[in-house]
Amino acid sequence: LILAISSVSAITIEITELELNPTGDDKGSEWLEIYSSKETNFTGWYLENERGYRYNLSGEEEDYLVIEFESYFLRNTDAQLFLYDETDDLIYETEILSDSKNDNRTQQLCDEW
């Protein structure tokens, strides 16, 4: 998904990797990665899961931002994530994802999930 910043430049922002079902207890071990092609101020941005729970973002980042969740945020089945900017515009959404194996294998975006 391309987010137009101005008529001269555009940036790519997408969720590129996530761990829905890590080894052991998922609490505190779930994480995801957001890629931004240019420096982006994520203050006011948020992630929302398929159940409507929000996780607020902050700070500036270029390239890869890794978010480690302290509590349960990602479901192991039928998980979907939505990334919104500070004006509540939907910037990116994942497909519906599932991970039934309790291991350290991640879901990765490589043209598709």
Side-chain angles (χ1 to χ4, degrees), residues 10-13 35-40 62-63:
I11 62 173
T12 300
I13 299 176
Y35 170 75
S36 177
S37 62
K38 294 192 178 181
E39 187 169 328
T40 303
E62 181 178 354
D63 294 327

Side-chain angles (χ1 to χ4, degrees), residues 77-108:
T77 58
D78 299 327
Q80 189 170 23
L81 291 170
F82 307 89
L83 176 63
Y84 292 91
D85 69 11
E86 73 282 357
T87 63
D88 295 326
D89 287 334
L90 178 62
I91 302 303
Y92 186 83
E93 68 182 88
T94 66
E95 295 177 12
I96 296 173
L97 303 168
S98 294
D99 182 0
S100 62
K101 296 181 180 175
N102 194 18
D103 59 19
N104 285 324
R105 297 184 129 186
T106 64
Q107 304 257 352
Q108 300 173 12

